[in-house]
Amino acid sequence: MFKKLKTLFSPAKYYDNFGQDKSNIILDNKSKSGIYILINRKNSSFYVGSSSNIARRMSSYSLFAYLNNPKNKNMVICKALLKYEHDSFALMILEYCDISELVQKEQYWIDVLSPDYNVLKYAYNSQGYKHTPESISLMSKLASLKVVSDETKEKISKSMIGENNHLYGKSHTAEILAKIALSKSHSSVFLYNEYKELMCIFSSLTTLAKLINSNNKSLQRYIESQDLFRGNWYITKELIKDSDIPLIVDHSTEEFKELIQSTIECKSIRKAIFVFNTEPVLLAKYDGVIDAEKALKISHETIKKYCKSGEIYNNRFIFSYHNLDLTD
């Protein structure tokens, strides 16, 4: 299937072995934004994604600490990378594009390729997106490569009837729902991940505190200091960017339950340690200074010292309590 796909378009970059080509991938794609595909060469399954910093995203995917992080480990692509390992995957950069075009471009390729590792078939918010004649033609060609059994067709048909349809009873996009949530309460609280991507909106500080087994006083302290809460999340009383759209809108979904559970599971983490090279590219993330000390064989006092100073340790590492690049 994948070889046939390659004949239909010319990728900007292609790496046959994600594990072995890591250095070239990071070097070639530093500070570049665009659309990529991770392909499992063992079973031809693949994932379409976008990033405003492809090098950093691929650097994260290459880290087992990132893949095993409670907020990531349930993602299908992360599970696949852990199960089959990095050498089983190829990476294709479909195209480079401006950051402002990422959502529309990603939606185009998700619609065209129907990637099986993409559980969510919407690239953040695709409101107003229309297929071009070229995309319609390409989707038609790709459809001819797929064989769907009668049994599968029947399952698809049943899944789209009445309440089984994911659009049943819904008329609002994520953007509109977010605006509704904001308009209903001036006490809204916003939960961002370590990359400052808006995960979810809560009606109040009390609501969030109860859900994640915390208290208002503690959460307020993190709002004021803007330190990472439990090593993974930023909590704010206002949007970091006006254009921010929550990745999770519906609080009744499994995604929301997993987010809350992962936040609770990280209760023991006070300060996570991020380790970068001199580029800086993220090399690893540890749940605390002791974990970093054990893994790197560097004293925890030294690690804390360099976290505070921001200086380069031994011409090799930069230590930080925060992710240094928060624009992805």
Side-chain angles (χ1 to χ4, degrees):
M1 172 67 175
F2 179 64
K3 290 182 178 179
K4 293 179 181 179
L5 289 177
K6 288 179 66 177
T7 65
L8 297 176
F9 51 85
S10 299
K13 292 281 185 180
Y14 176 74
Y15 306 89
D16 189 59
N17 190 309
F18 180 62
Q20 294 179 14
D21 294 334
K22 175 187 172 182
S23 297
N24 288 333
I25 290 170
I26 293 175
L27 183 63
D28 294 345
N29 296 282
K30 184 179 179 182
S31 301
K32 291 184 178 180
S33 58
I35 313 300
Y36 62 87
I37 300 183
L38 276 170
I39 312 105
N40 188 331
R41 293 184 285 112
K42 289 189 175 182
N43 59 19
S44 296
S45 293
F46 59 96
Y47 175 82
V48 172
S50 68
S51 176
S52 62
N53 190 328
I54 295 174
R56 194 189 73 180
R57 179 64 57 80
M58 296 308 130
S59 176
S60 296
Y61 279 143
S62 68
L63 299 172
F64 286 104
Y66 174 88
L67 299 176
N68 279 305
N69 188 285
K71 70 178 180 15
N72 300 323
K73 65 182 181 181
N74 289 319
M75 293 173 60
V76 176
I77 185 58
C78 291
K79 287 182 178 179
L81 286 166
L82 286 169
K83 180 179 179 179
Y84 295 97
E85 301 187 344
H86 297 88
D87 287 349
S88 299
F89 284 79
L91 172 67
M92 178 184 291
I93 308 300
L94 285 169
E95 60 178 315
Y96 296 113
C97 63
D98 188 82
I99 294 175
S100 63
E101 299 178 295
L102 284 176
V103 173
Q104 187 175 30
K105 295 281 188 180
E106 182 182 1
Q107 188 64 55
Y108 165 86
W109 288 110
I110 289 175
D111 289 343
V112 165
L113 300 176
S114 298
D116 39 2
Y117 278 158
N118 287 69
V119 176
L120 298 176
K121 301 302 181 183
Y122 298 95
Y124 294 94
N125 175 31
S126 57
Q127 183 184 16
Y129 175 77
K130 294 182 179 180
H131 295 295
T132 64
E134 290 80 7
S135 67
I136 294 172
S137 175
L138 185 52
M139 283 189 282
S140 178
K141 291 178 182 179
L142 290 167
S144 67
L145 301 177
K146 298 182 179 181
V147 178
V148 182
S149 67
D150 291 338
E151 182 181 1
T152 301
K153 289 178 181 178
E154 184 178 356
K155 288 181 179 179
I156 293 173
S157 177
K158 288 181 178 179
S159 70
M160 297 302 290
I161 297 174
E163 294 184 2
N164 292 324
N165 190 317
H166 71 288
L167 294 176
Y168 179 79
K170 298 180 180 179
S171 59
H172 297 305
T173 65
E175 185 176 12
I176 293 174
L177 286 170
K179 289 180 178 179
I180 291 173
L182 284 170
S183 66
K184 285 184 176 180
S185 174
H186 295 296
S187 59
S188 295
V189 175
F190 306 90
L191 184 68
Y192 285 82
N193 64 16
E194 66 202 47
Y195 299 106
K196 291 198 173 177
E197 297 169 324
L198 179 57
M199 298 301 298
C200 196
I201 301 174
F202 298 86
S203 60
S204 68
L205 199 63
T206 301
T207 298
L208 175 59
K210 287 181 178 179
L211 284 169
I212 61 176
N213 298 339
S214 185
N215 58 75
N216 289 32
K217 185 177 180 179
S218 177
L219 296 186
Q220 185 61 43
R221 186 168 67 249
Y222 280 93
I223 289 173
E224 294 172 357
S225 68
Q226 276 305 284
D227 284 334
L228 277 169
F229 176 68
R230 295 179 182 174
N232 289 283
W233 293 276
Y234 292 99
I235 302 172
T236 69
K237 294 300 293 288
E238 58 185 30
L239 290 171
I240 294 176
K241 293 184 296 183
D242 290 340
S243 59
D244 285 342
I245 300 298
L247 299 181
I248 301 174
V249 176
D250 189 347
H251 289 203
S252 66
T253 62
E254 286 301 315
E255 288 85 358
F256 177 78
K257 294 176 183 177
E258 290 172 3
L259 173 65
I260 296 302
Q261 185 58 38
S262 65
T263 309
I264 294 172
E265 289 175 358
C266 291
K267 191 173 182 179
S268 61
I269 302 175
R270 295 191 64 185
K271 283 191 175 182
I273 301 294
F274 294 82
V275 184
F276 303 82
N277 63 16
T278 55
E279 291 293 329
V281 172
L282 180 64
L283 300 176
K285 178 187 175 185
Y286 300 98
D287 286 346
V289 66
I290 300 302
D291 287 348
E293 177 185 39
K294 291 178 180 178
L296 301 173
K297 309 302 181 186
I298 301 172
S299 75
H300 66 277
E301 290 297 334
T302 298
I303 293 173
K304 287 193 289 186
K305 173 185 173 182
Y306 280 87
C307 275
K308 292 178 180 178
S309 70
E311 297 175 352
I312 299 174
Y313 169 77
N314 201 24
N315 294 319
R316 294 177 62 196
F317 301 133
I318 298 173
F319 296 103
S320 175
Y321 292 122
H322 294 266
N323 196 324
L324 296 179
D325 183 358
L326 297 169
T327 60
D328 192 358

